[in-house]
Amino acid sequence: MNEKKNLPDDAALTALLRPARVSPDLPPGFQQNVWRRIEDSEAAVPTTSWLDAMAALILRPRFAAAAAAVLLLAGILAGTANGRQLARHEAEMNYVASVAPAFAR
Amino acid sequence: MNRPLILLIGALALGAAIFAGSFFASRHVTAMCCVKPSDDLAWLQTEFHLGDAAMTRVRQLHEGYLPKCGELCAKIAEKKGELNLILGNSTNVTAEAQVKLNEIAALRTECQSNMLQHFITVSQAMPPEEGKRYLAEMKKITLGDHEQIEQTMSNDTGHEHHH
């Protein structure tokens, strides 16, 4: 209600103030400078290399924890399989040593 | 060096350390747990899936074979001692040394023959398929090694053939 009531006065006030508004002159080459700065900022966007991407991935706690867990599990599985083979070979050699001492390795 | 590269190398080293650590630890633990040094025949039972009856028979055969094997080994050791005495001051292989070498060779042949016979007898005490596998494995270890050594020696033209 108030806005409608004030509208004629505002228009009159605006018309009165318009000539008094100071609009400073733009410095020379202002527009070119603006465009140059826009272009520069676009060109400056860093293109991430695979190394950066990998480093960023490694630094992710979830990825690091998952990778560590996978490596730990793989190590345990491989070690257990290898240990079984080793134990089997050792047991075999124990037997061979008991029946053919010259051939035990 | 830039930071991402250092990070990557560090991560790889850490990953390798985690894998190697868990690998060697679990290998050691498994190897320690699975070997029963007190029983030489434990391997036979697990490897060739022997039941109690077959295992008892194999154990009897094994215990019957050991004294014979030990006796022959003692004879070989005795003859080797005699050969060493003969060769002690000599610079060539005398007729006496040759006799001892022949005696040692004969004892070794007898020992090997007994051993092969024992393997055959043991294999017959096992289920047929397992027996075949056992005999093949024992032949591979006791005869295969000799073949390998002879093959290596015959290919090695730069050296004398010596046993």
Side-chain angles (χ1 to χ4, degrees):
Chain A
M1 286 291 274
N2 280 343
E3 279 176 19
K4 277 184 182 176
K5 203 176 176 181
N6 291 337
L7 252 176
D9 292 343
D10 284 350
L13 187 64
T14 306
L16 196 66
L17 288 173
R18 187 168 289 140
R21 188 181 289 165
V22 180
S23 53
D25 291 334
L26 292 172
F30 175 81
Q31 205 173 359
Q32 282 169 338
N33 281 341
V34 169
W35 279 112
R36 201 187 67 236
R37 286 180 71 173
I38 291 169
E39 281 166 6
D40 286 353
S41 68
E42 279 176 356
V45 171
T47 51
T48 51
S49 68
W50 66 270
L51 203 62
D52 294 323
M54 286 291 286
L57 191 68
I58 287 162
L59 287 174
R60 280 188 192 169
R62 273 190 186 178
F63 176 83
V70 166
L71 284 169
L72 192 74
L73 193 68
I76 289 170
L77 289 176
T80 307
N82 194 256
R84 273 193 193 144
Q85 272 188 329
L86 205 69
R88 186 176 160 263
H89 180 74
E90 207 168 312
E92 183 178 0
M93 286 307 115
N94 281 346
Y95 171 71
V96 173
S98 72
V99 287
F103 300 99
R105 286 166 292 188
Chain B
M1 231 192 280
N2 57 0
R3 191 168 169 268
L5 190 62
I6 293 168
L7 261 171
L8 197 63
I9 292 169
L12 284 174
L14 187 67
I18 290 171
F19 181 83
S22 56
F23 176 85
F24 287 113
S26 58
R27 185 175 80 153
H28 179 74
V29 169
T30 311
M32 288 294 105
C33 290
C34 297
V35 175
K36 293 174 193 164
S38 55
D39 190 4
D40 294 333
L41 301 184
W43 170 73
L44 278 182
Q45 188 159 26
T46 50
E47 182 66 27
F48 298 100
H49 315 104
L50 302 182
D52 288 342
M55 199 57 206
T56 307
R57 176 77 186 122
V58 167
R59 201 173 286 282
Q60 281 170 350
L61 290 168
H62 185 73
E63 281 160 10
Y65 164 78
L66 286 183
K68 287 183 220 164
C69 176
E71 197 181 314
L72 278 171
C73 284
K75 277 185 189 172
I76 292 170
E78 190 187 320
K79 294 287 174 194
K80 278 172 80 178
E82 289 170 14
L83 178 66
N84 277 336
L85 280 177
I86 293 165
L87 291 175
N89 299 320
S90 149
T91 51
N92 55 2
V93 182
T94 60
E96 203 184 354
Q98 189 61 57
V99 169
K100 288 293 164 202
L101 281 171
N102 289 341
E103 283 173 3
I104 291 169
L107 283 169
R108 279 186 174 150
T109 305
E110 190 185 345
C111 180
Q112 199 165 15
S113 168
N114 282 353
M115 184 181 70
L116 284 172
Q117 187 52 57
H118 172 69
F119 291 152
I120 292 166
T121 316
V122 169
S123 76
Q124 287 165 349
M126 292 180 176
E129 281 308 308
E130 299 296 348
K132 269 187 202 170
R133 199 158 67 81
Y134 164 81
L135 195 56
E137 182 72 14
M138 290 301 110
K139 275 159 104 178
K140 191 179 85 185
I141 293 169
T142 55
L143 302 179
D145 264 15
H146 264 257
E147 282 169 15
Q148 208 178 350
I149 291 165
E150 282 152 11
Q151 186 72 35
T152 313
M153 293 298 203
S154 63
N155 288 343
D156 194 1
T157 49
H159 293 85
E160 284 176 37
H161 184 107
H162 47 91
H163 284 282

